[in-house]
Structure formats: structure tokens, C-alpha cells
Amino acid sequence: APGGHGTAHGKGRDKGSLLDSVPKRGVLRVCTTGDYRPFTHREADGGYRGIDIDMARDLAKSLDAKPKFTATTWKEIVDDVADRRCDIAVGGVSITLPRARKTYFSEPTREDGKTPITRCADKDTYDTLDRIDRPGTRVIVNPGGTNEQFARDRIKRATITVHPDNTTIFQEIVDGRADVMMTDASETRYQARLHPELCSVHPDKPFTFAEKAYALPRGDEEFKEYVDQFVHLATHDGTYAAYEAQWME
Ligand SMILES: O=C(O)C(=O)C[C@]1(C(=O)O)C=C[C@@H](O)C=C1
């Protein structure tokens, strides 16, 4: 509506803050990919589970609102917030400078970085970028996010295969259709536990440094301030750690 306050849709640059409009409408619109355990996972029943899903539920509750989860892709997740299709994007999202030109980021929830995951038998073959980036090595990557960016920037000689489904990508390595993936250390730890054939390679010394955070609409200082406080408290009062322990187990 023209001059509308707290409009729930469209690109309209509403003058008010989401800090007021979210409680008023009773809904927090959350964009998430649902393909990145343990942060965001879409179940067969359509429900979302994971560390950042629990966090988003708590954030919504603290604003007297219900979370409304909308599925998106790694290619689109930051634009979803920049274009105000969602109030917040969650689920293992990395802070990058190109993204920070489009959205604000909350205070970080954790540190992470890219490290290899491969069949345990090949653990010592794929431990450095030089040893990975050789002709004949089959690097597999999910599209649209920082993993693909990293592979495109750093892999010149090995083959890159883009696998569109991040929920089945690790099985490709188990089955020998690919050799190695470079992804967040937290994910390599989680997936190595899920697939006993796979090993995480030096997850304590990843190739890159990245922080996970929530993407927020640019310009809404009051909402960012609130979400920062929420994240700060949850990451210091044991809430985030408890969700992590629950999902990492
Ligand atoms: O793009 C990001 O922010 C991510 O960290 C997500 C990303 C990726 O980099 O592609 C990281 C790990 C998962 O395998 C899926 C997606």
C-alpha cells in the first residue's frame, strides 16, 4: 500500500523498521536453502530443522511472531533479502564482501572455512591445494555459493564438476564418481560422521577464513541492532552451543 507501514511484501522501502512491523504482522519471513546440515535441513515432511532454524524460531518468538520459512538457493539467498522477499536469510550463510554490498550481516554465529573432504583412503593425497589441483583430480562442488567461488578461483588444472543437489553430493565421493569436495570445515566434520567412508582433511586448519551470520536488509539499523543483540546473547548464554551439540551429535 502506498505509504504503508510494515508492508509484508514487495520491494517497497518501507520507512519503518522490521523491529516494529514483524511483531505487528506476527510473521518473520525467513529465507533458507534447506540443503546444508547441520544448519538448515528440509525434511521429507516439508518442515525445516537445524541449528539456524532453531535460532530463527527463537528470534521470531522473541518478536512475538511466527517464522515463515521459504526455500531458496545459494545463488539467490542474499538477493532475497536485498530485494525484501525475506526479512532474514539463515542457514550456514558466509559473510563475504560482495554480499556485504547488498545486505547487512548480523554479528557472526561462528567461524568456518573451506577444507577438503574425501574418501579416507585418499586423505593424504588431497591435503593441500597444490596436491588437489592436478590434472585427473575430480573436484565436485555445489553451485551458487562460496564453495563454487572458491573452486573457480583456486582450481586451474583439476576437473570441476558442479553437482546441483547438495543433499546427495557426498555420496558422489563415496561412490567414486568424484574425488574431493572443498567445503566448510563444520560440514566436512558433520558429513564424515554421516558417511564413515569419508574423512575430513585438517578441519582445524582450513584454507580460508569465513564467518557465518544472518543476512539482513540494508538500511534497517534498528532491526540489525536487535538481531545483533539476539545473536550476541544466544552465542554467549549457551543457547547456540546447545543447538550445535544437539545437531552435531
Ligand atoms: O554460500 C555460502 O555462504 C555458504 O557457505 C554455503 C555453502 C557454499 O559455500 O556453497 C557452503 C556449504 C554447503 O555445502 C552449501 C553451501
Side-chain angles (χ1 to χ4, degrees):
H5 190 72
T7 175
H9 44 252
K11 291 194 177 194
R13 283 286 133 77
D14 188 309
K15 283 218 190 75
S17 171
L18 288 168
L19 187 57
D20 300 313
S21 55
V22 167
K24 215 169 282 173
R25 73 164 103 102
V27 174
L28 178 71
R29 302 172 311 160
V30 183
C31 278
T32 193
T33 61
D35 69 350
Y36 183 7
R37 279 187 286 178
F39 302 112
T40 173
H41 175 59
R42 193 170 197 183
E43 302 276 333
D45 66 8
Y48 289 89
R49 314 259 188 284
I51 299 170
D52 288 327
I53 301 300
D54 286 339
M55 290 281 283
R57 284 189 209 285
D58 287 353
L59 174 65
K61 193 172 177 202
S62 78
L63 290 167
D64 305 317
K66 291 208 180 329
K68 181 179 177 289
F69 293 103
T70 300
T72 187
T73 62
W74 288 107
K75 188 172 181 295
E76 291 162 325
I77 190 163
V78 171
D79 288 333
D80 287 331
V81 171
D83 296 341
R84 309 258 176 157
R85 288 186 289 272
C86 275
D87 305 323
I88 186 169
V90 312
V93 180
S94 304
I95 301 176
T96 71
L97 291 176
R99 287 173 172 176
R101 294 176 60 176
K102 297 181 174 182
T103 64
Y104 284 171
F105 281 96
S106 70
E107 180 164 316
T109 53
R110 67 187 301 125
E111 286 180 16
D112 223 310
K114 305 306 175 194
T115 211
I117 182 168
T118 185
R119 289 174 298 275
C120 294
D122 297 331
K123 199 172 175 323
D124 300 327
T125 311
Y126 301 119
D127 60 345
T128 66
L129 270 167
D130 276 347
R131 288 160 66 89
I132 290 168
D133 192 17
R134 287 180 180 174
T137 303
R138 296 164 305 166
V139 172
I140 194 163
V141 71
N142 61 293
T146 56
N147 286 345
E148 184 180 14
Q149 191 63 52
F150 179 75
R152 302 252 176 243
D153 288 347
R154 307 299 286 273
I155 297 300
K156 302 294 171 211
R157 289 166 285 272
T159 330
I160 299 177
T161 305
V162 176
H163 185 80
D165 183 355
N166 205 40
T167 62
T168 56
I169 197 164
F170 299 94
Q171 194 61 37
E172 295 294 299
I173 308 173
V174 172
D175 294 345
R177 285 186 292 274
D179 299 313
V180 60
M181 177 176 181
M182 286 170 286
T183 185
D184 294 320
S186 55
E187 183 174 44
T188 66
R189 284 199 179 94
Y190 185 88
Q191 293 290 340
R193 227 170 298 166
L194 216 59
H195 301 89
E197 305 87 343
L198 299 184
C199 280
S200 172
V201 184
H202 52 64
D204 296 326
K205 283 190 180 167
F207 297 137
T208 60
F209 168 83
E211 287 176 316
K212 301 296 184 184
Y214 304 137
L216 306 168
R218 221 176 91 166
D220 192 338
E221 310 282 344
E222 291 176 36
F223 188 56
K224 176 177 157 49
E225 189 80 12
Y226 183 84
V227 177
D228 279 345
Q229 290 300 327
F230 168 84
V231 170
H232 184 81
L233 289 171
T235 53
H236 288 77
D237 73 2
T239 303
Y240 185 91
Y243 292 147
E244 181 177 6
Q246 181 191 328
W247 292 108
M248 285 288 193
E249 86 185 6

